[in-house]
Amino acid sequence: MGTPDELRELLPQLKLDELLGELQARIDAVRGTRDRVHSLLGAVLAVGRELDLEHALRSIVEAAATLVDAEYAALGVIGPDGTTLSGFHTVGVTEGQIAEIGALPEGHGILGELIRHPEPLRLEKLSQHSASYGFPAHHPPMNSFLGVPIRVRDQVFGNLYLTEKRGGLAFDEEDEAVLSTLAVAAGVAIDNARLYEDSRLRERWLRANAEITHSLMSGSDRAEALDLIAEHARENSGSALAAVAMPVEGSEALGVEIAVGMDGEAHRGLVLPLDRTLMGLAFSTAAPVISDDVFHDERISAEPPRFEGLGPAVAIPIGTGEGDVRGVVLLARETGGPVYSAKETETLRGFAAQAAIAMELAERRHDAQRIAVLQDRDRIARDLHDLAIQRLFATGMTLQSAGRFIDHPEASERVLRAVDDLDETIKIIRSAIFGLRTRESGAGGGLRARVVQVAGEAARVLGFAPSVRMEGLLDTDVPREIADHVVAVLSEALTNIARHAHAHRADVAVTTDGREIRLKVSDNGVGIPPDGRRSGLRNMAERAEQLGGRLEIACAESGGAALEWHVPLPGK
């Protein structure tokens, strides 16, 4: 040991070492704080650069886990009801673990506590909190916890959840301050991403409306315009199916003219009543109709089956208001997809209204062109009547008078024949004038309307409404004579089902590809007995043979009978 004097000399040295050690610790702490602040600033900048919402959410979760040195991190998005989670983004849990755990959290236990009380929550041990809900099977163990809410403007968008600080430590006040700061930056980033997403979506809707308007005003037919409406509506709304139905002339029904996307064939050509269908309800009320699960919706008829695999749906009237509905567009997402929100519905309604205006303008332009053509025809007819016929009549009178002064029999006969030819010419011109002045008559309605009418009348004797599907330009390509045969065969077929089939379902399909017309009628009844009367079937077959077609009879998939009557169209 040293002497007292030596110890007195050593004491200041010991105090200096202690002070230097303390200084070094503080310098290290300052450096740590500086590095953490730099990391926080870097995370804020990285999060703020993201304009895609999903990427922004992923970036926020990753930055949160790094900043507070947590093994697991998650961001829960609060659903529209404000009490459950509609989305969940995680870091630290593998895809395999997520699959083993099963359904994503919905907002129970500690997660729900943060939803109900959106304030920072820090726990040393999760299980000690009164709201602890426990973990499902295969869930990794978690003890320490730190949660903070993310606010976007004045609303809570979601919450950041951090668990298992590395090294077995508990989250401290500094971790909470860092995470709260990141949450503020995250709210700004999410708001920016939302605004950017909204602006891009508005741009897509504007482009869609412009394309539809250009198509209609450039003379494209209605089918092409409706196809554009369906495709753009499906793509911009993230839907799996889009269908467009228009009123069937002369009946209280809608015909699905366009159906694109998932199982579109099951919808295309269907004739739907105004009740028991989403489209019919939207058309009759002139307002959007929303279904959380269209496959199990009690407001919709189960027959024919057409919504398997689909969940949320919305039907939007194509029009600018009540009394001005031109059709309906139906959109549906796959089962488990998000329900159409009020904001989405309003956007779709605006899109449909713009499409209706474009259709109105195109029809007005077509009407103006049609009026110009009719006026021109009237002018031609008037000129033929007032000028050509009068000149021919005068010439005939002159020849007839001159014929009396001709003594040569053969010359006199030729003049009289010329007068007769002039009379015939005048009759031909009068017939042409009558044709020019004849307006298109809608007497009797088109084939589509007549098919719907026959099916509706048959429902009274069948005891149920038959399913009707129509495809092709039935009113344009099918001549009146053949249309009459189609209606007669359909009426006979449905009458036979009512009398003999004992069925509770019948399906009617009328289609044309421009080359031939096909009528298919099937039922789920007892079928056609071998020894049964066949006078009705013989009449149908004779009608087909007269037109160069044929009748085919087979067993339907549903167990009853199926007849297919098809004939070629003239000039095809």
Side-chain angles (χ1 to χ4, degrees), residues 287-370:
V289 179
I290 299 174
S291 174
D292 293 350
D293 185 358
V294 68
F295 187 64
H296 298 98
D297 198 316
E298 295 180 353
R299 296 173 296 174
I300 303 171
S301 61
E303 299 293 342
R306 58 196 184 277
F307 288 113
E308 187 172 358
L310 296 171
V314 60
I316 304 291
I318 301 175
T320 55
E322 188 173 351
D324 185 35
V325 181
R326 295 177 166 272
V328 179
V329 56
L330 171 75
L331 297 167
R333 290 172 174 151
E334 293 186 47
T335 302
V339 175
Y340 291 89
S341 65
K343 182 179 179 181
E344 287 179 305
T345 303
E346 193 60 33
T347 301
L348 287 166
R349 194 170 188 178
F351 168 72
Q354 289 295 323
I357 292 172
M359 294 169 71
E360 176 77 17
L361 291 173
E363 287 179 9
R364 292 290 176 266
R365 181 179 179 182
H366 177 73
D367 289 345
Q369 293 173 340
R370 183 178 177 81

Side-chain angles (χ1 to χ4, degrees), residues 99-164:
E100 288 182 348
I101 293 170
L104 293 173
E106 297 180 355
H108 302 293
I110 297 295
L111 305 188
E113 181 71 15
L114 207 58
I115 295 174
R116 293 186 292 273
H117 305 287
E119 297 177 356
L121 178 63
R122 181 159 42 94
L123 303 170
E124 290 187 12
K125 202 168 185 63
L126 275 166
S127 59
Q128 294 178 351
H129 195 279
S130 59
S132 180
Y133 193 80
F135 296 110
H138 308 293
H139 196 286
M142 295 179 180
N143 292 298
S144 56
F145 174 85
L146 175 59
V148 296
I150 298 176
R151 286 183 169 84
V152 177
R153 299 182 186 271
D154 296 329
Q155 293 184 338
V156 178
F157 172 84
N159 297 305
L160 276 172
Y161 307 109
L162 287 300
T163 60
E164 288 299 286

Side-chain angles (χ1 to χ4, degrees), residues 18-62:
E18 184 180 338
L19 290 172
L20 288 173
E22 184 178 347
L23 180 59
Q24 183 64 44
R26 293 193 176 187
I27 291 173
D28 291 341
V30 170
R31 284 177 177 171
T33 302
R34 180 201 63 187
D35 293 341
R36 200 165 195 186
V37 169
H38 286 169
S39 298
L40 177 60
L41 290 174
V44 168
L45 291 174
V47 167
R49 280 195 295 265
E50 292 289 353
L51 289 177
D52 181 84
L53 183 58
E54 291 299 314
H55 289 169
L57 298 179
R58 182 73 184 178
S59 178
I60 291 167
V61 179
E62 292 173 348

Side-chain angles (χ1 to χ4, degrees), residues 70 89 214 270 290 346 358 406 442 464 495 528 548:
H89 304 263
H214 179 268
L270 284 177
I290 299 174
E346 193 60 33
I406 300 174
F464 58 88
T495 300
I528 302 175

Side-chain angles (χ1 to χ4, degrees), residues 500-559:
H500 312 296
H502 304 291
H504 57 79
R505 175 177 174 179
D507 298 303
V508 176
V510 186
T511 62
T512 181
D513 57 2
R515 295 186 294 273
E516 68 173 3
I517 176 78
R518 285 180 174 269
L519 168 65
K520 184 175 182 180
V521 183
S522 60
D523 64 77
N524 64 348
V526 297
I528 302 175
D531 56 347
R533 293 181 59 189
R534 293 179 176 262
S535 57
L537 295 176
R538 187 163 51 252
N539 292 337
M540 297 180 202
E542 288 175 357
R543 286 179 181 273
E545 290 168 3
Q546 289 173 10
L547 300 171
R550 64 184 185 273
L551 172 70
E552 297 175 359
I553 302 172
C555 293
E557 295 179 1
S558 54

